[in-house]
Amino acid sequence: MRKIKRMKEYNPKEIEAKRRRIWDQKKAWRVDLKKATKPYYNLMMFPYPSAEGLHIGNMYAFTGSDIYGRFQRLRGNDVFEPMGFDSFGIHSENFAIKQGTHPKEQTAKSIKHFTEQLKSMGALFDWEHSVTTSEPEYYKWTQWLFLQLYKAGLAYRAKAPVDWCPSCKTVLADEQVIQRKCERCGTEVIQRGMEQWFFRITKYADRLLKNLDTIDWSERTKTVQRNWIGKTEGATIIFALENSKQTIEVFTTRPDTLYGATFVVLAPEHPFVSSLPHSKEIHEYVEKTKQKTELERKAEGKEKTAVFSGLYAINPLNNEKLPIWIADYALMGYGTGALFGDAHDERDVEFAKKYNIPLKTTVVTGDKEKDKKILNLEECFTGYGTLVDSGPFTGLSSKEAIIKVIEWLVAKKRGSKRTTYHLRDWLISRQRYWGPPIPIIYCDKCGTVPVSEKNLPVKLPNVKDFRPTGTDKSPLATVASFVNTKCPNCKGKARRETDVSDTFLDSAWYFLRYPSANDKKQAFDKSLTKKWLPVNMYIGGQEHAVLHLLYARFITMVLRDLKFTEFQEPFAKFRAHGLLIRDGKKISKSRGNVINPDEYIEKYGADTVRTYLMFLGPLSEGGDWNGKGIIGIYRFLNRVWALAQKTKIAEQDSKLETLRHRTIKKVTEDMENLRYNTAIAALMEYSNALSQADSISKEQIKTLLILLAPFMPFVTEELWQQLGNKESVHDQKWPTYNPALVQEEMMRLVLQVNGKVRDVVGAPTGITEEEAKKLALSNIQIQKWLAGKDPKRIIFVPKRLINIVI
RNA sequence: GCCCUCGUGGUGAAAUGGCAAACACGGUAGGUUUAGGACCUACUGCCGAAAGGUUUGGAGGUUCAAGUCCUCCCGAGGGCACCA
């Protein structure tokens, strides 16, 4: 009876259903968060449950992360691997609009479908600690978080030029505008002056930058964040106005060129411009520029436009009179919104030429030919060089001059060192429906009043027409019962804020909620948080480098400053996974090349799909799914299955033992570095060797199953049980290797002549240089190539080769 | 324009400066099978009958030895961008 059962064929569908049932019953993924002694928080980026179902790209990312979690568990850690849903926000809302259903219904439906799919992939997800950002139990605490920032003076409302997406009908954060287009829908954004809520992330710019050196993240991701924060060192220079007490502050990274300044440019939005005596020409220019859309500006091909203000500034260095122009190539959002123009900046030169403003060379290279052109203004030199025609600074190098000019400015109180950042404050209000209402009340008497914490959550009302209005207001503004409220202060009539917060606020703290997911009294439990955070390993998409990952770091720093937590950085280790493509092309609905994971799981089982996805290439590089190769993995599983049915399990063979130890070493190292593709290859070699062997030991097959368990959780468990083991394969100890056994006794010694391989011979691994030389020089092939000549030099590389140079 | 990553067989890809193409897919031949599929064995970068030569986007360089390090160029992908 037993024998018949053992001989049965590999049937993934049956096995996976059975194993899932048993694991669910036993709650095999459960970890006691309070009692765990070796906490290991393995996090992956929770999905937006907005699409028709789990995308193969989601599965790729989750599998990569789950394998790492399973590996850590086998190494004896108490692994906490939660999963949840980022269900609030524009993604889910847009999908609901498209489907013609209410977001609330649609989200519930999507989550149900997603959960089913997620359960089929065989991950360690702890379903008792899941979060759904659109549930009041969750967003209550998102609102609480907003209030903490408000109280700390880090949330403020201000009127500012903001980016508005005409298609999504809401304002967007700076980070959500890519190439002046909406990150979600690709529509060109319009700049509008609107009063909006911001988080003061710029206050943390320096810390966000400096801390990057302390965390173990993919270097690529760090670079993107560094660039986004965009620290620039420079100086501000105070220009006095001619015949006036007023001054203008200008930002520059090149104070060494100040001596050669010939004009000053102000951004049209610069406050000084509006204070100018109103000439019609200036007024018209400013109005025209403001109305220009980005599209029109682009169509003009960056052609600079300007108007002369009629005023002059005085260069503090040499008292020269500089005309002040108003031009849209000066940007209010950068530096001080004002700049000085000189001959060592291409944009300045282009501008000066168009408006016939004189220029003056003050920096040269030292190359005579080149300098001739530079001095004649035939060529624009923007690099560092030596100063000429610069009064007391003449002869200095640019670098010296920068220091000296700043010293001079500071001494004369005409300027100072200054650092600016590309990073802007985080615009978090949205004129949409599907998000957490911002917990603020406006009272005519008391002004802006925060909702009291005990009255949270401010529940999102059920609105029939939830579509964006296109006005400056969220659909919530149309719900009188929501808007009209009492002032928490004076109990008088008051109005609620009707905007909701950005989805990225929901996801900026979800990892803090997971361990405390069922805590009704607080956002996160102090002792649980201390025990489990920061996250040990976070694997996710590189596309979130400047959005989610930056916001999460910011929120974590704020919470630490407010003494809620004790750590500055949320994710100790972060690794970005690559993109899964198909036949060399991006996978997208519009291309019609989407892959439905369900189909493949149905056909081959989740074990095969997981392993195939990881076999495509290194996780960090992504992979190219062409679907054909999946059969190779399926065959591999079948071979492993057949191998475990092998009855000839007997004594150990030393050759296989060497391979076993080598495989353990290779796989362990590859797992650590997320090089799953080569780990799988090594396991295939090991498995193939076992298949071909006459007899294999129990230890050898056990090693195979444990090493394979993170990749193929179902079939390894099934085979483990078939071998008569009572415990789960996933509760075993990761095998260790003996370094002494990794090395084979005999090796292949490569014999080279002048760097070319002429023969390969067997030799003892520990062969000495002398012995190797003898061996090589007596070799017939080598003698043939030496042709009687004496070697000039012999290079011996132990355990590898000997190279004879003639 | 600036910054980052990457270019290796028919395909996905391997390779601490030390035998290029591991592991797979596909292909060819053979075996097995009532047939199909599945499975098993051998071969499979290119030129060559063989000996041998040759090959990692291109051109140089360093080195006994370069896919790997350096310089320039070409191409692909990503990020930033009138950022002073």
Side-chain angles (χ1 to χ4, degrees):
Chain A
M1 188 65 204
R2 185 176 168 88
K3 201 169 184 184
I4 294 166
K5 202 180 163 196
R6 281 184 140 220
M7 289 304 285
K8 73 179 175 183
E9 274 184 30
Y10 170 52
N11 180 339
K13 221 173 158 183
E14 199 182 283
I15 291 168
E16 293 185 5
K18 176 172 128 197
R19 286 298 148 198
R20 260 180 69 181
R21 217 164 43 234
I22 297 170
W23 288 339
D24 271 355
Q25 263 169 23
K26 288 190 184 165
K27 296 192 173 167
W29 34 259
R30 201 172 183 278
V31 54
D32 190 325
L33 294 180
K34 283 204 179 109
K35 288 188 189 149
T37 52
K38 288 184 77 185
Y40 194 99
Y41 193 163
N42 187 53
L43 183 69
M44 56 197 89
M45 289 180 177
F46 64 164
Y48 313 116
S50 55
E52 283 86 347
L54 190 73
H55 185 268
I56 193 81
N58 292 135
M59 185 158 168
Y60 177 71
F62 298 158
T63 301
S65 180
D66 179 61
I67 288 169
Y68 194 78
R70 288 183 171 279
F71 168 62
Q72 290 301 341
R73 180 183 163 128
L74 284 164
R75 297 195 101 186
N77 292 305
D78 295 309
V79 174
F80 177 46
E81 188 175 296
M83 174 51 71
F85 300 100
D86 195 5
S87 49
F88 245 158
I90 206 161
H91 331 74
S92 304
E93 191 182 311
N94 283 353
F95 185 66
I97 291 170
K98 226 175 95 193
Q99 296 288 303
T101 45
H102 193 276
K104 201 172 172 180
E105 272 171 55
Q106 186 54 51
T107 300
K109 233 162 107 183
S110 298
I111 288 178
K112 207 176 156 225
H113 185 199
F114 251 74
T115 307
E116 248 330 288
Q117 291 181 297
L118 285 167
K119 283 188 172 170
S120 76
M121 64 171 272
L124 268 180
F125 301 140
D126 181 344
W127 291 107
E128 285 179 351
H129 292 87
S130 188
V131 302
T132 301
T133 56
S134 58
E135 291 294 331
E137 295 81 58
Y138 184 88
Y139 72 71
K140 170 181 182 176
W141 302 112
T142 307
Q143 292 172 334
W144 171 87
L145 186 62
F146 180 95
L147 293 179
Q148 305 316 307
L149 272 97
Y150 181 78
K151 280 193 258 174
L154 293 167
Y156 66 95
R157 194 167 153 85
K159 186 167 179 172
V162 294
D163 295 318
W164 168 270
C165 172
S167 167
C168 294
K169 294 173 182 161
T170 180
V171 297
L172 300 172
D174 201 27
E175 287 80 8
Q176 289 162 327
V177 180
I178 292 159
Q179 309 265 296
R180 303 308 304 158
K181 281 178 184 162
C182 171
E183 176 233 359
R184 296 243 9 106
C185 64
T187 308
E188 190 97 20
V189 297
I190 295 168
Q191 210 167 67
R192 292 174 65 174
M194 287 169 71
E195 205 173 330
Q196 295 293 319
W197 282 97
F198 293 88
F199 280 170
R200 228 179 272 284
I201 191 171
T202 50
K203 200 180 159 191
Y204 285 77
D206 209 45
R207 246 161 92 188
L208 286 166
L209 190 68
K210 275 192 187 142
N211 275 12
L212 285 174
D213 298 333
T214 70
I215 49 180
D216 179 10
W217 281 28
S218 320
E219 214 39 56
R220 250 198 300 171
T221 315
K222 285 194 194 180
T223 306
V224 170
Q225 285 216 354
R226 278 192 195 104
N227 291 345
W228 184 261
I229 296 166
K231 185 177 180 169
T232 312
E233 309 240 24
T236 50
I237 295 150
I238 301 166
F239 282 83
L241 258 62
E242 188 194 33
N243 307 325
S244 163
K245 278 185 184 146
Q246 281 181 293
T247 58
I248 290 173
E249 262 192 54
V250 162
F251 177 75
T252 183
T253 55
R254 292 293 300 273
D256 57 316
T257 64
L258 179 56
Y259 222 95
T262 51
F263 57 100
V264 167
V265 181
L266 302 181
E269 301 89 354
H270 196 285
F272 183 80
V273 172
S274 51
S275 74
L276 282 175
H278 261 99
S279 103
K280 203 180 158 198
E281 211 190 338
I282 294 170
H283 184 75
E284 270 174 10
Y285 175 73
V286 171
E287 282 308 305
K288 211 175 85 192
T289 323
K290 272 187 191 166
Q291 277 165 19
K292 259 191 232 169
T293 65
E294 294 294 331
L295 208 67
E296 284 167 333
R297 281 205 193 184
K298 248 189 206 154
E300 287 164 13
K302 293 187 179 173
E303 175 77 5
K304 291 172 180 53
T305 62
V307 65
F308 178 52
S309 71
L311 299 175
Y312 291 87
I314 305 298
N315 186 339
L317 270 192
N318 54 15
N319 293 321
E320 277 176 23
K321 218 171 96 175
L322 312 177
I324 299 173
W325 287 75
I326 298 154
D328 62 357
Y329 87 94
L331 307 170
M332 197 53 225
Y334 189 79
T336 60
L339 58 92
F340 71 76
D342 62 79
H344 299 287
D345 182 290
E346 275 166 22
R347 291 153 310 193
D348 291 346
V349 171
E350 191 193 322
F351 178 77
K353 279 186 179 156
K354 181 167 174 183
Y355 291 97
N356 294 318
I357 305 167
L359 286 167
K360 194 172 87 182
T361 297
T362 53
V363 184
V364 293
T365 63
D367 177 315
K368 272 186 187 167
E369 284 300 306
K370 213 173 169 188
D371 287 345
K372 213 168 145 188
K373 284 186 186 162
I374 293 167
L375 286 164
N376 286 334
L377 298 168
E378 287 161 24
E379 199 176 292
C380 171
F381 176 56
T382 59
Y384 286 162
T386 307
L387 269 67
V388 293
D389 203 6
S390 300
F393 304 100
T394 304
L396 293 181
S397 74
S398 289
K399 279 188 183 167
E400 289 167 331
I402 287 171
I403 296 164
K404 295 274 184 214
V405 170
I406 293 174
E407 277 173 8
W408 189 92
L409 290 166
V410 169
K412 303 275 175 185
K413 294 197 166 69
R414 303 306 294 182
S416 60
K417 247 191 181 168
R418 165 147 175 202
T419 306
T420 74
Y421 297 89
H422 170 260
L423 184 71
R424 310 290 168 81
D425 275 344
W426 176 11
L427 200 175
I428 60 132
S429 41
R430 297 289 179 277
Q431 291 70 49
R432 297 283 296 217
Y433 169 68
W434 195 235
I438 292 174
I440 290 288
I441 290 168
Y442 302 107
C443 168
D444 287 339
K445 275 192 216 149
C446 312
T448 304
V449 186
V451 172
S452 130
E453 281 179 30
K454 66 175 193 292
N455 288 330
L456 294 180
V458 177
K459 276 208 178 172
L460 181 68
N462 217 336
V463 178
K464 248 191 200 160
D465 194 3
F466 55 84
R467 280 170 309 197
T469 60
T471 64
D472 292 359
K473 297 247 160 91
S474 137
L476 292 182
T478 63
V479 185
S481 59
F482 175 80
V483 177
N484 299 320
T485 187
K486 275 184 190 162
C487 170
N489 251 358
C490 69
K491 312 296 173 203
K493 266 193 183 176
R495 293 167 292 109
R496 280 190 194 280
E497 167 66 60
T498 56
D499 281 356
V500 299
S501 58
D502 183 5
T503 336
F504 282 98
L505 181 58
D506 304 326
S507 57
W509 73 282
Y510 77 110
F511 48 91
L512 279 160
R513 182 66 183 165
Y514 274 139
S516 314
N518 305 312
D519 195 327
K520 294 209 160 43
K521 295 206 175 82
Q522 54 195 333
F524 43 88
D525 178 86
K526 237 184 175 159
S527 69
L528 275 181
T529 305
K530 192 173 177 182
K531 183 165 186 170
W532 288 93
L533 281 108
V535 167
N536 296 80
M537 175 60 129
Y538 197 17
I539 295 178
Q542 172 76 1
E543 71 273 17
H544 284 118
V546 294
L547 289 153
H548 164 61
L549 287 171
L550 193 69
Y551 297 146
R553 294 182 61 218
F554 162 62
I555 292 294
T556 303
M557 285 177 195
V558 170
L559 287 171
R560 205 216 54 158
D561 289 357
L562 299 180
K563 307 259 190 294
F564 286 106
T565 56
E566 293 171 24
F567 49 93
Q568 293 212 35
E569 288 290 338
F571 316 122
K573 189 166 174 177
F574 171 78
R575 291 291 178 273
H577 60 75
L579 203 66
L580 189 72
I581 57 169
R582 182 180 188 174
D583 304 318
K585 291 181 189 78
K586 258 189 192 175
I587 298 172
S588 71
K589 248 183 264 172
S590 57
R591 267 177 240 264
N593 63 350
V594 290
I595 297 155
N596 183 358
D598 296 354
E599 271 174 45
Y600 289 90
I601 290 176
E602 173 76 19
K603 197 166 172 192
Y604 299 103
D607 282 336
T608 295
V609 178
R610 287 167 64 100
T611 311
Y612 175 59
L613 283 169
M614 296 304 112
F615 189 59
L616 290 173
L619 191 67
S620 61
E621 304 300 314
D624 191 340
W625 173 295
N626 62 31
K628 281 182 192 156
I630 195 167
I631 192 72
I633 300 293
Y634 189 65
R635 284 179 192 148
F636 172 47
L637 258 82
N638 272 287
R639 282 199 298 272
V640 172
W641 180 269
L643 183 61
Q645 317 294 321
K646 233 183 181 178
T647 44
K648 271 202 223 164
I649 289 180
E651 71 286 352
Q652 298 186 349
D653 163 328
S654 73
K655 230 181 169 177
L656 281 184
E657 269 307 277
T658 305
L659 181 61
R660 187 173 78 89
H661 284 271
R662 272 223 311 268
T663 306
I664 295 168
K665 180 173 193 280
K666 170 81 177 144
V667 173
T668 306
E669 285 166 4
D670 283 348
M671 296 298 268
E672 204 65 82
N673 297 315
L674 305 177
R675 302 191 60 95
Y676 300 143
N677 55 330
T678 46
I680 295 165
L683 285 163
M684 284 174 169
E685 286 183 73
Y686 178 54
S687 155
N688 289 344
L690 293 186
S691 297
Q692 279 159 20
D694 291 331
S695 68
I696 52 175
S697 73
K698 199 143 195 178
E699 193 64 20
Q700 285 164 348
I701 184 86
K702 274 182 162 183
T703 299
L704 178 67
L705 292 179
I706 298 172
L707 295 182
L708 274 175
F711 298 97
M712 315 171 172
F714 295 106
V715 71
T716 50
E717 181 79 315
E718 178 70 20
L719 292 173
W720 188 259
Q721 306 286 327
Q722 280 185 22
L723 287 173
N725 297 297
K726 290 262 152 35
E727 288 173 359
S728 166
V729 69
H730 303 295
D731 290 330
Q732 300 308 307
K733 242 186 105 193
W734 188 259
T736 52
Y737 63 92
N738 180 349
L741 289 179
V742 167
Q743 201 68 248
E744 291 200 60
E745 275 175 33
M746 291 295 282
M747 57 162 292
R748 289 154 56 83
L749 181 71
V750 173
L751 309 181
Q752 294 184 335
V753 175
N754 283 345
K756 291 207 180 202
V757 180
R758 293 309 176 185
D759 204 1
V760 180
V761 296
T765 306
I767 193 170
T768 62
E769 182 162 358
E770 277 312 306
E771 287 165 342
K773 268 185 195 170
K774 252 186 232 166
L775 195 67
L777 292 171
S778 63
N779 181 282
I780 298 173
Q781 284 293 320
I782 298 302
Q783 285 179 352
K784 185 177 136 194
W785 288 98
L786 284 181
K789 283 180 219 158
D790 277 340
K792 270 190 209 149
R793 205 175 150 186
I794 298 178
I795 287 122
F796 174 66
V797 183
K799 293 176 198 167
R800 286 194 192 276
L801 57 75
I802 185 156
N803 184 15
I804 300 167
V805 186
I806 52 170

